Structures are given as structure tokens and as C-alpha cells.
Amino acid sequence: MKTEIFNAKTQKENGTQYAGRVIRSGGLVAFPTETVYGLGANGLDGEAVKRIFEAKGRPSDNPLILHVAKKSDVKELWNHVPDDAKRLMDAFWPGPLTLIFVKSDKVPDEVTAGLDTVAVRMPEHKTALALIRAAGVPIAAPSANISGRPSPTEAEHVIADMDGRIDVILDGGPCRVGVESTVLTLVGRPTILRPGGITREMLEQVIGPVEVSPAVLRPLKEGEVAESPGMKHRHYAPDCRVVVAEGSWRKAASIICREYEIAEAMGERCIVLGTEQTRSCYHGMNCDIIGDRETPSSLCAELFSALRRWSGKVDVIFAEAIPAKDQGLAYMNRLLRASGFTVLTD
Ligand code: AMP
Ligand code: MG
């Protein structure tokens, strides 16, 4: 299959109109959002949605998010719209927040992997919104990567994984947030199933107490049922080991320096994902400064891109843990999963 690539800025009208027709006729389109690139299909067409799973190699028990272009579209996708959802949509849509509620009959089982709930989000990215409007249907879209790999935050990443497997790629440049949306279920007590750009602290200001699924920062225990099917699967892994060092920045940096030396002595190629605060600790070592520990959003924006940059080029990536609050929760969720929970504390 030939994949057509459009520049979302210079070929704006042509690109989105063409891609909208492709979606309507059952094809697959990768498009930029403010979180990561999505791989979209007509969310009301089960056969089209199946193609997403094939192109990504995604396990068929992992449900997709439906993307809409206006808030009122949720009415046809959920059996009703709860008050908390109304408040949250007013506060955070368009934006990086996905809400889960009981689905309507209109939503195909392929989207929800057979669950009776469906995840919906209204993205903020202009190209994403233009595409959904051009398609005239909700767009089902997971991240546009081969399943298991780091999510794509630039069109180059999508091309590396999806060229020849999908119909169209809309190139909109780098994604602002860099990690996927916050996923909040409103069935039962509001619970974060996946942390993201909209933080627990921000949600609580609007609807009061919000729980965080315990599996956000640790692997599932044996026999434990995943609140979100995505928690079961290996995620975000580059083609090399990832090792996370915990503790204060001084402690984390000293663990990394020690382990780096050991790995290097064994002939392993190493890179440190450092921060502004620890830059000077890694003098003379291979180091990629990816952001500022005080501004977790800066680390979120760069993490997946950095994992892809070093994937296959080194044997081990060392990274510092940061406090799991505000956007630090999303950063630690992705970093820990990328490492397969390989954490050094001392
Ligand atoms: P992705 O499509 O890669 O952004 O992943 C979507 C995430 O949302 C996955 O972790 C899914 O398991 C989760 N998800 C989507 N729909 C539901 C749902 N109805 N119930 C629970 N989790 C969901
Ligand atoms: Mg994904």
C-alpha cells in the first residue's frame, strides 16, 4: 500500500479534505493531536476499526478512544451524559482529557473491545479537529505506532512505523504535550486509569476527589483484573534496556553514574536522559538533556522522542525518576512502563 503524506500546514485544505474522504470510505489516516499522533478510522464502522488493530499489531482486547469535534457529539456515543462529564468537558475540552462512560448502541464492539463503556475525547489540535469535521464521523484512534513501541510525537516517528501500512499521514510537526491523554472513568467513583496532561489536581478542582488506579505506577499483580485493558500490555519500549534511578536528584544522578560506569566497563553503549538540574553530574558521559525536573511537562514533551532517538543505538538508557505529582505522574507512568519497571533505589 502506498502511504500518502501531506504537510498539514502547506497542504491544509487538500490534506484534511482528502484524508476525511479516506476515513469515510473505511481507510486509515495518521494525524497530529496535541498529545501524540493518532491512527484514525471511522469510529462507527467496525470493519474500518479492525484495520487499525491489524496495522498496529494491537491486541484486540485493548479498546480505542473515539475522537469528536464538538462536545454535543458525546450524546450519541454514551447512553447519557453524567453531570461530572458536563463539568469536565466545559473545563478541559478541547484538550488532553479522555472520559469513559456507558456506551450507546451506536458504538461498534470493535471500538470498545466488547466492553459496555466507551472512551471519548475532543482534541484541541486544529488539524485533528479539521479532520474529524471533514470525515463527518467520530474517529477511533489509538497512538500511531507499532504496538509496544514508544508513541509517535513527530511525523517522522509515524513514517518509521506505519509507512506502507496505512493510507495517509498528515504531518503537523511535533506534538505539544508529548504523552497520551489522561484517561478518566466516570463509571463508579471517578478514577484515573492513565495519567496525562490534565492532572489529578486539575480534575479535583472541578469535580472533587478523584482516585488514581493503583496500576498506574506498578505492574499488575498476578490474577489482578486490569481496570483498563491497556494496563496489561508491554508499552513504550525502545529497542534497548531502560533503567530508572529513584531518589532525590543527587541520589538518582549518583546511582546513574555508578551503573553507567559498570555497564560501560562491560562494553555496553550507554546514554543518560539527564535534566537541567543534573547536567553537571554527567560530565564526560553520553548525556541527552531532555528537560527540567521542576517542569515535568517539559520532560513529558521529550520522553518518547528521546526513547526513539536512542532506540537500537545504545544498549541501555538511564533515566531519573521524578516526584509522581502533577504532570510528574504521567511522566513516571510512561517511564516505568518503558523500563518494564526496572528501578534502582540504591
Ligand atoms: P491508546 O489508544 O494507545 O491511546 O490507548 C487508549 C487507552 O485507553 C488504553 O490504555 C485503553 O485500555 C484505555 N481505554 C479505552 N477505552 C476504555 C474503556 N472503555 N475502559 C477502560 N479503558 C479504556
Ligand atoms: Mg498507544
Side-chain angles (χ1 to χ4, degrees):
M1 174 191 290
K2 165 129 177 56
T3 303
E4 309 241 24
I5 303 174
F6 291 90
N7 182 308
K9 289 199 182 83
T10 58
Q11 299 167 295
K12 193 169 148 206
E13 275 303 304
N14 291 347
T16 45
Q17 290 309 316
Y18 177 77
R21 284 196 297 277
V22 168
I23 296 267
R24 261 205 313 279
S25 60
L28 298 183
V29 175
F31 60 100
T33 80
E34 70 277 20
T35 59
V36 302
Y37 275 76
L39 176 57
N42 180 347
L44 302 180
D45 174 352
E47 288 306 310
V49 168
K50 273 191 201 159
R51 289 190 196 112
I52 296 179
F53 288 85
E54 283 160 22
K56 282 185 57 108
R58 182 174 173 106
S60 59
D61 66 349
N62 196 4
L64 305 180
I65 296 169
L66 289 178
H67 294 73
V68 297
K70 55 181 194 310
K71 295 175 193 168
S72 57
D73 288 348
V74 298
K75 284 190 224 153
E76 59 168 3
L77 304 175
W78 288 336
N79 75 346
H80 82 273
V81 183
D83 286 343
D84 278 352
K86 287 182 195 148
R87 288 190 200 106
L88 291 168
M89 291 188 309
D90 283 340
F92 301 114
W93 280 15
L97 174 66
T98 295
L99 297 172
I100 294 178
F101 198 65
V102 182
K103 83 179 192 78
S104 75
D105 293 341
K106 244 185 146 174
V107 179
D109 284 341
E110 286 82 357
V111 170
T112 64
L115 297 176
D116 59 2
T117 55
V118 67
V120 187
R121 161 166 121 85
M122 178 179 173
E124 163 199 298
H125 198 289
K126 283 199 174 63
T127 305
L129 290 170
L131 175 66
I132 302 164
R133 281 191 207 108
V137 288
I139 295 185
S143 49
N145 51 284
I146 299 282
S147 207
R149 292 199 191 151
S151 299
T153 56
E154 293 175 33
E156 283 306 312
H157 305 159
V158 182
I159 295 168
D161 280 17
M162 290 296 161
D163 197 17
R165 291 172 172 256
I166 63 177
D167 300 288
V168 178
I169 298 174
L170 298 176
D171 176 353
C175 302
R176 177 175 63 82
V177 180
V179 293
E180 305 85 344
S181 59
T182 304
V183 175
L184 181 78
T185 178
L186 294 172
V187 179
R189 277 196 287 203
T191 304
I192 293 177
L193 303 182
R194 177 176 74 187
I198 304 295
T199 63
R200 175 190 204 170
E201 294 79 357
M202 292 159 79
L203 297 169
E204 288 190 328
Q205 286 193 352
V206 179
I207 57 165
V210 168
E211 318 220 332
V212 177
S213 169
V216 158
L217 290 178
R218 61 156 173 78
L220 283 176
K221 294 178 185 152
E222 212 167 298
E224 186 179 12
V225 177
E227 288 184 272
S228 179
M231 291 168 175
K232 285 188 295 204
H233 303 292
R234 179 101 206 262
H235 254 135
Y236 317 124
D239 192 7
C240 61
R241 289 191 291 130
V242 178
V243 175
V244 181
E246 270 192 342
S248 65
W249 65 263
R250 267 177 232 283
K251 182 84 201 156
S254 85
I255 293 172
I256 289 176
C257 290
R258 186 189 71 209
E259 295 297 318
Y260 184 111
E261 207 179 308
I262 296 170
E264 205 177 38
M266 287 166 48
E268 289 193 305
R269 296 162 299 170
C270 307
I271 185 82
V272 181
L273 303 187
T275 58
E276 294 301 341
Q277 286 74 9
T278 52
R279 184 188 284 272
S280 61
C281 305
Y282 306 124
H283 192 70
M285 300 159 66
N286 296 325
C287 179
D288 184 0
I289 301 295
I290 61 165
D292 183 330
R293 292 176 64 92
E294 302 296 321
T295 317
S297 57
S298 68
L299 297 168
C300 286
E302 269 300 306
L303 177 65
F304 287 144
S305 185
L307 292 176
R308 280 184 178 258
R309 191 151 58 238
W310 298 108
S311 175
K313 300 210 175 64
V314 297
D315 300 299
V316 51
I317 295 174
F318 292 103
E320 302 160 17
I322 61 168
K325 59 177 174 47
D326 297 312
Q327 281 200 36
L329 183 64
Y331 182 72
M332 288 310 299
N333 168 267
R334 304 314 190 278
L335 181 60
L336 288 170
R337 285 193 149 64
S339 76
F341 296 92
T342 308
V343 182
L344 299 176
T345 48
D346 204 28

